Amino acid sequence: MRGFKYLVRGEDAQEIRSPAPSYHVELHITNKRKLITLEAVWNCRGYLLTTLDQELIMKDVCLSYALYKLLRCQMTELSLPSESQDKTQRLFFEGVLHGRNHKRVFKIMEMQLAFLTDYHYTRIPIGVWYGYPLIKFVTLVVTLVFGCLLAFDVHKTKPQEDDLYHHIKGVNVDRIITYVLLVSIAVKEGWEMILYMLSDWTKLVVICRYVEGSWLLRNRLAERIIQLLCRSNVVMRWHNKMGQYNILESFGYKPRVKQALHYGTLHMIKKPIEGGKAGKKIKIFHEVKQSIVDALSNYNINDGNLMNSMPSSLYKRWVRNSYQWACRQETFSHLILVWHIATSMCEIQLFEDTRPERSCLNSFVHKLKTCWTQRHPFMVDRKSLEGGTRSHYIVANSISRYCAYLLVFVPELLPDHVIVSEQVFQGTISEARNILGGCHSLERFLEKLKRVEANDQERTIVQKGAILGRELLADPEMNTERRWKMLADFWVNLLLYLAPSEMTEDHKSRLLEGGEFITLLWALFSNCGIFDRTEENQVFANGVVSGEEQGPNITNQEQREAVNEQQLI
């Protein structure tokens, strides 16, 4: 971290000037010991941060807070110099991503968003920053003392004959209620105290005081206590789940009761979406996180590819030439739905290929067990897959359904206008009902989609998705593992391509509801100064692989055609 003098704490103890004529804000260091930067944290030679912090747990708290400060500047539209953004890119891509440890990367991003959520929606930052935990501790002690005195006084008080009290089978109910209330107050105060003491804010303050050189913390006992404090996670920072939606399972959904409630309550209840039945949220698999970290690690920032915007070749570079037509769509809503339908077709085919043969009785019992336990979030049991197919299937299918979920339920986080996304989706639902109406099984869905025909000039979304899925399944050069690998690489890079945006208010509003997975990626790119996408079909020097996995490189003519199409759009 040499040279990364990002502020962590202590700037309020320095002198801030804004001299004329530019009136630029300047920080003049007057108390060097109080000024804590990332460089100072990493250079601290204390036993706590050298020997006891081999996994960088405590240092990452300070790193997350420094990134949170940068994100706050972006959200409040405070401009940062380009040198700062370039430096943050190097910090993240060469420092945080070094080693490709997905647990550490996402822990830093989750902690950063936790700081941001607390800042906007709780009073914890103010309380911790100004010594409130100590005040809270004194309040807790006083509450416990007075509570015990009151309980003792209530216990020794004997009711008089003219007192109004309730006895049931010789038990004084009023006294029991009083005890329950006192215990509830004590538990509430104690739990609130624990939340404050074990919050990331308290950890940050303690670590900064340790870096300052506080004699009270520079002993083995205090260092062990701080280590236990930083390793404890009483409150979950983030739900670690992602929404799911499958259009082939939900296009026939007609919420008539919810629609009646919507109109009957004069729009007080949100209007339901035709064909928009969301699936159960699933825990984000570690394969998904690792694939995203691997994709980020492969990006080359030295040649300036990621300095200003995200090139569209991020999601096109792993797609074979024969499928490049499917990457060039009118809107991102078209792109997501076309590839989502094709991925769903591949999933149904994989389900048929891996489904074991059962007798009628065993098949009936298995269906009952599956419906009752809901142990599999997808059609295919992951345990039945082997090798790389399993991880590729998990990554492609979960991100495909998540992108469809964003399109249907959180369209404001995607590049297209909300009205465009809604119109495209409703048109696709109507088309799916016309083509797939009357089908009552996955096998019938797949069989009907395989027979869809369309001319080259007027293809609809369902037709494009069906043709793409049919070509993927019929490609003789792609076995099951290669097919799912290409789909996984496409969806990972598409999600990364969709993440950067300037829609800070939309992401901020989602934090109160727990936040979305794409918000983590948005925060990452915002720290690096990436807020936009470019439509130019660039080819990354380190992103093109040869041989059987990639296929031949895209020709210059195809690049020009892609650019022309994007410009016309």
Side-chain angles (χ1 to χ4, degrees):
M1 289 294 173
R2 183 181 299 275
F4 291 98
K5 296 182 180 181
Y6 288 85
L7 289 176
V8 178
R9 191 169 187 259
E11 62 273 18
D12 52 346
Q14 314 304 318
E15 182 181 355
I16 300 178
R17 304 175 185 173
S18 53
S22 63
Y23 295 100
H24 290 163
V25 178
E26 298 177 356
L27 181 68
H28 286 260
I29 301 175
T30 57
N31 191 342
K32 189 175 181 179
R33 189 178 69 89
K34 288 285 186 179
L35 187 65
I36 307 300
T37 63
L38 282 183
E39 186 180 44
V41 173
W42 254 258
N43 291 338
C44 179
R45 307 315 302 168
Y47 180 75
L48 176 68
L49 296 178
T50 54
T51 306
L52 298 182
D53 195 26
Q54 298 292 333
E55 300 176 1
L56 302 178
I57 294 176
M58 286 167 270
K59 292 180 180 178
D60 283 344
V61 174
C62 299
L63 175 59
S64 301
Y65 187 74
L67 294 175
Y68 145 78
K69 282 192 169 185
L70 293 178
L71 188 59
R72 267 183 55 194
C73 293
Q74 302 289 356
M75 295 186 70
T76 52
E77 298 183 358
L78 294 176
S79 60
L80 296 174
S82 58
E83 296 82 2
S84 172
Q85 297 172 353
D86 298 346
K87 203 169 188 178
T88 306
Q89 285 196 15
R90 294 200 306 272
L91 168 64
F92 203 93
F93 283 87
E94 298 175 3
V96 178
L97 289 176
H98 181 70
R100 301 193 178 192
N101 186 346
H102 73 275
K103 293 183 179 179
R104 181 181 178 231
V105 173
F106 279 93
K107 183 178 180 181
I108 291 174
M109 302 313 301
E110 291 168 11
M111 205 181 308
Q112 178 185 355
L113 288 186
F115 280 128
L116 190 65
T117 304
D118 290 340
Y119 174 78
H120 284 291
Y121 300 110
T122 72
R123 291 178 291 181
I124 294 179
I126 298 176
V128 174
W129 217 246
Y130 293 97
Y132 185 68
L134 181 60
I135 301 175
K136 190 68 179 177
F137 180 74
V138 175
T139 305
L140 175 62
V141 173
V142 173
T143 303
L144 292 177
V145 171
F146 276 93
C148 292
L149 293 176
L150 181 60
F152 179 75
D153 190 57
V154 170
H155 179 72
K156 71 177 183 180
T157 300
K158 296 182 179 180
Q160 304 297 325
E161 293 182 359
D162 56 345
D163 289 343
L164 295 177
Y165 61 93
H166 301 82
H167 263 86
I168 298 179
K169 295 182 179 182
V171 179
N172 191 330
V173 178
D174 295 337
R175 183 177 294 174
I176 297 299
I177 294 175
T178 303
Y179 291 155
V180 170
L181 290 176
L182 290 175
V183 171
S184 300
I185 293 173
V187 171
K188 181 257 181 186
E189 291 290 330
W191 178 247
E192 190 173 340
M193 179 65 192
I194 291 174
L195 293 181
Y196 272 96
M197 293 300 296
L198 299 182
S199 68
D200 292 331
W201 296 88
T202 302
K203 298 174 186 177
L204 175 70
V205 172
V206 172
I207 294 171
C208 290
R209 291 293 302 275
Y210 182 86
V211 175
E212 290 176 13
S214 174
W215 63 270
L216 190 62
L217 303 177
R218 291 295 181 104
N219 59 80
R220 291 292 186 266
L221 177 60
E223 289 170 340
R224 289 292 181 181
I225 294 175
I226 297 174
Q227 183 189 25
L228 293 176
L229 171 68
C230 293
R231 289 181 177 273
S232 59
N233 292 312
V234 175
V235 182
M236 186 172 58
R237 299 187 184 96
W238 190 57
H239 51 71
N240 195 38
K241 292 183 178 180
M242 60 196 310
Q244 300 283 278
Y245 174 79
N246 189 337
I247 191 171
L248 296 185
E249 295 178 351
S250 307
F251 70 87
Y253 175 63
K254 297 180 179 180
R256 293 190 176 91
V257 175
K258 292 183 178 180
Q259 286 180 344
L261 291 175
H262 169 72
Y263 293 110
T265 58
L266 301 179
H267 297 196
M268 294 180 63
I269 297 178
K270 185 178 180 181
K271 184 179 180 180
I273 303 173
E274 281 280 339
K277 184 178 181 180
K280 184 178 180 181
K281 289 189 175 182
I282 64 171
K283 183 179 179 181
I284 302 177
F285 297 97
H286 68 87
E287 289 92 348
V288 175
K289 295 181 178 180
Q290 187 61 55
S291 63
I292 289 176
V293 171
D294 290 339
L296 286 171
S297 301
N298 289 332
Y299 295 163
N300 189 0
I301 66 171
N302 296 324
D303 57 2
N305 284 326
L306 298 182
M307 286 303 175
N308 300 312
S309 58
M310 297 289 287
S312 59
S313 58
L314 292 186
Y315 64 87
K316 295 178 181 178
R317 62 181 181 175
W318 292 103
V319 177
R320 291 171 177 266
N321 284 345
S322 55
Y323 307 115
Q324 284 294 321
W325 64 268
C327 295
R328 298 190 287 269
Q329 302 295 332
E330 290 85 345
T331 65
F332 287 104
S333 301
H334 286 73
L335 181 68
I336 291 173
L337 289 173
V338 167
W339 282 87
H340 172 68
I341 293 173
T343 305
S344 300
M345 291 177 62
C346 295
E347 183 185 16
I348 297 174
Q349 185 64 57
L350 183 63
F351 172 74
E352 292 185 354
D353 295 341
T354 58
R355 180 173 53 182
E357 295 183 1
R358 293 186 175 95
S359 62
C360 294
L361 179 61
N362 289 338
S363 179
F364 178 73
V365 172
H366 176 73
K367 288 182 179 179
L368 287 179
K369 187 186 297 184
T370 303
C371 294
W372 181 260
T373 59
Q374 294 183 346
R375 56 179 179 174
H376 305 314
F378 308 131
M379 298 179 191
V380 181
D381 184 2
R382 306 186 307 276
K383 296 180 181 179
S384 63
L385 303 177
E386 298 178 355
T389 305
R390 178 181 181 275
S391 61
H392 300 327
Y393 167 73
I394 292 174
V395 172
N397 208 33
S398 57
I399 298 182
S400 169
R401 296 187 180 201
Y402 178 63
C403 289
Y405 165 84
L406 292 177
L407 173 65
V408 179
F409 300 101
V410 202
E412 62 269 16
L413 300 184
L414 295 178
D416 292 338
H417 194 279
V418 174
I419 297 178
V420 174
S421 299
E422 291 176 353
Q423 293 296 324
V424 171
F425 174 71
Q426 290 302 328
T428 306
I429 290 298
S430 300
E431 181 191 355
R433 289 175 178 176
N434 292 333
I435 295 178
L436 302 176
C439 298
H440 302 289
S441 65
L442 298 176
E443 293 81 358
R444 287 288 298 157
F445 284 156
L446 181 61
E447 182 181 346
K448 214 161 191 180
L449 287 171
K450 284 182 176 180
R451 294 202 305 263
V452 168
E453 297 293 342
N455 57 55
D456 296 336
Q457 301 297 328
E458 299 179 356
R459 290 181 179 179
T460 61
I461 290 179
V462 175
Q463 290 173 342
K464 290 179 181 179
I467 294 172
L468 175 60
R470 186 173 62 207
E471 292 180 359
L472 286 171
L473 294 174
D475 193 340
E477 298 181 2
M478 297 179 68
N479 56 20
T480 302
E481 182 174 351
R482 291 177 182 173
R483 181 186 308 120
W484 282 104
K485 184 182 187 309
M486 191 191 76
L487 289 172
D489 290 331
F490 168 82
W491 282 112
V492 167
N493 287 279
L494 178 61
L495 181 61
L496 292 176
Y497 183 74
L498 297 174
S501 73
E502 296 181 346
M503 301 175 290
T504 57
E505 289 300 321
D506 293 325
H507 283 284
K508 176 183 172 182
S509 63
R510 302 300 300 182
L511 291 177
L512 188 58
E513 303 175 12
E516 290 290 345
F517 181 52
I518 196 174
T519 303
L520 292 177
L521 305 176
W522 164 81
L524 184 157
F525 290 117
S526 297
N527 290 146
C528 299
I530 302 173
F531 305 101
D532 202 359
R533 312 162 191 85
T534 178
E535 301 299 334
E536 291 184 359
N537 192 8
Q538 305 174 24
V539 178
F540 280 43
N542 67 333
V544 177
V545 296
S546 60
E548 301 173 329
E549 297 182 2
Q550 167 72 22
N553 294 338
I554 303 172
T555 63
N556 294 331
Q557 178 63 28
E558 289 170 331
Q559 292 185 35
R560 286 193 294 270
E561 292 176 358
V563 172
N564 292 334
E565 287 189 26
Q566 295 292 351
Q567 291 174 347
L568 288 174
I569 293 172

